Each structure stands twice: as structure tokens, then as C-alpha cells.
Amino acid sequence: MKPDAPHDDSPDAAAEARGHNRPPLTYKDAGVDIDAGDALVEHIKPLARSTNRPGVMGGLGGFGGLFDLKAAGFKDPILVSGTDGVGTKLKVAIEAAVPDTVGIDLVAMCVNDIVVQGAEPLFFLDYYASGRLDVDVGRRLVAGIAEGCRRAGCALVGGETAEMPGMYADGDYDLAGFSVGAAERDALLPRADIAVGDVVLGLASSGPHSNGYSLVRRVVERSGLKYSDKAPFAGTSLGEALLEPTRIYVKQVLQAVHATGAIKGLAHITGGGLPGNVPRCLPDGLRARLDARRWTAPAVFRWLHEVGQVPTDDMLRTFNCGLGMIVVTAAADAERVAKALTDAGETVHHVGTIERAPTDEADCVVDHADTLWRS
């Protein structure tokens, strides 16, 4: 038998065992700086005020954001909501040390989803989390969110800033967003009268938007380039080129919807690309046939395809390939809808038609897709 270990029964030893002689621990010692959080909120308040619109009640600081639908002009509204993040595009922003535009992406991914239902985005809330709160980075992120809200015409009414040491590596952060919009009951999209012979219009994208960045980052690794190097396909650094923010289509599309009354359906082209998203606005039994010779993909897609040797089918299912929004309208209305969208600032292409769908074939066919990677 081993002898018992010696014990020190002195009062000091007992106090040490209970931690009484150790320095006190504070929340800041644990990695959470409440003062930094408060400082960020003070930066956020004027940014949020800059997004105010009819219907906003109160301001930041309450436990919830208030919004008055009647003051926003709705008579028989249906609420439409959406939530999303920015995905691994955030890793590009972090590694390139450019946090200024991913907030625009965050808003875009939510509000573009709402507008395809025919709804006007009304307000937005964000969630920003990091391992250690950097007030300057947080301010720049939220400034981007506010800019996105202004582009979409919705108000930034609140959010959450979470400092969570141990959850994120030093310098990492995460973003998520949530938006609520409204449409009059009789103006919801898609309409039920989408039919064979209708025309498909495509609105140009600004680049990959916020989808496919796990693949983008692998292509960058293969290229051997750093984000600070000049982009082979643009006049900026590679990081800046890949961080080109998602185009926000809200005001332009709503202007055309109201001006023409002829838009039957809309599709926001996100993860899944054209084949995965166009069918979401079509009734059963119909499909879209698109001709890739009718639009030009931004040069970034050619670079991704060539450097990564990414198969065309993978390109189509991963990226928007140059079209960020799809519009369906009757053939007789196509010209005036295209003009309304062009007048609102969009680059519009007549890209295809609606046809009957064979039961054993795809719901969206992209013909001549390889032409997208040719100069």
C-alpha cells in the first residue's frame, strides 16, 4: 500500500484550493469585451438611420424592430421573409483583409430572394459573430450592410453582435441576415399563367455573386496567385475582383413589375445555377430552354473554367454564369418588359423560351453552354 500523500491543512492552502488567492476573472478576461461591443453599436446607429424608410418605428436599442405596414402603403399585404449568409466568400474577405463589401452580399442574398415573390423588402436584421470583436472590421462590415439596404430600399432595424472566444479562429467572423418584405395579395409571383411560348429574359450578374466560393478558393490555390496579386481577368487585385458584390435587383425589378404589369415569374440564380433555380418559378409540366450564345459571361467565369478545368456541367450547377436574375413574360410583352428593365438600369438579354417539359428530362436546358468560356 502506498502511503497517503502529505496534506497541508493550513487555512492558506484551503483558500488556494478554492481559488481565493487567485486573481478575479472578468468577462473581458474570458475574451468578451462589452465596451468594444458598445462602441460598435455607437458606430452602427447612424448607419442604421441612413436606411430609414416609411414604416420604420423607433430605432436601434429595443429588444425588437418595429415596422408599420399601413404606413408603408399596403392595403392587403402578405409578408414574405428570407434568410441567408455569404458562405465561404467570407474567407476571401478575411484573407484579403477587405471586409467592406460582403455586407452588400449579405443583404443581396436575402432581398433578391424576396423580390422574386413580387415582394418589396421592408426591413433587414443582421447577425455578426467573431472570436474577438474588432470594432473597425465590425464597422466596415455593417457599413456594407447599410449600403446594401439602401440599394434595396429596406431599413436596417436591428441585429446581433456576438463575441464568442473559442468558437472562431483569431480574425475569423461570420455573417447571417434576415429580411421581411410584403406584397399585395393579388400581386404575388410567380403567376399561374406562365405558358408555352413565353419568353425568358436574363439580367446580367456582376460575377459569381455569393455562390460557389469553396470551388473559387480551390481554383485560386491551383493558380498559385495571392489575393493581393493582380487579377488575370480584371484591373484590380484578385481579392478585390472576387469580392465584387452581388448585384441587388430589387428596385429595378419592382419598377418594371409595376410599370408593365406583365412580369409573370422571376428566379434568383444562386446555388444550383440556372438548372437549379429557373424551374422554381415554373409550373409543373413546363421547362425553360436557354441559348448561351445570347449572353456573355463575365471574364471571371472563363478564368475559373480554364484554371480549374471545371467541367461545363459543374460550372452551370455551381455559378450563375453571367445571369443573376431570370424574368418570364409573354412573347407579346417581352420588348416592353426588357425596355422597362433597361430603363431601370439593368443589362437585359433575351435568353430563351418556355416549352413543354418531357417527363424524363431536365426542367431547364442550356444549349451551347461551352460558348460561355470562349473569348
Side-chain angles (χ1 to χ4, degrees), residues 84 250 279 343:
D84 212 333
V250 170
D343 289 347

Side-chain angles (χ1 to χ4, degrees), residues 288-354:
R289 180 173 288 277
L290 311 182
D291 184 346
R293 295 172 299 183
R294 297 184 180 181
W295 77 92
T296 302
V300 60
F301 294 113
R302 189 179 312 120
W303 182 78
L304 290 167
H305 170 71
E306 291 176 354
V307 175
Q309 291 296 291
V310 183
T312 291
D313 283 350
D314 246 58
M315 291 291 295
L316 289 173
R317 290 180 302 178
T318 305
F319 302 113
N320 64 60
C321 295
L323 300 179
M325 186 72 72
I326 288 294
V327 181
V328 180
T329 185
D333 297 318
E335 289 301 329
R336 66 189 183 96
V337 169
K339 183 178 186 307
L341 288 163
T342 301
D343 289 347
E346 292 302 318
T347 300
V348 184
H349 306 277
H350 291 246
V351 296
T353 56
I354 302 300

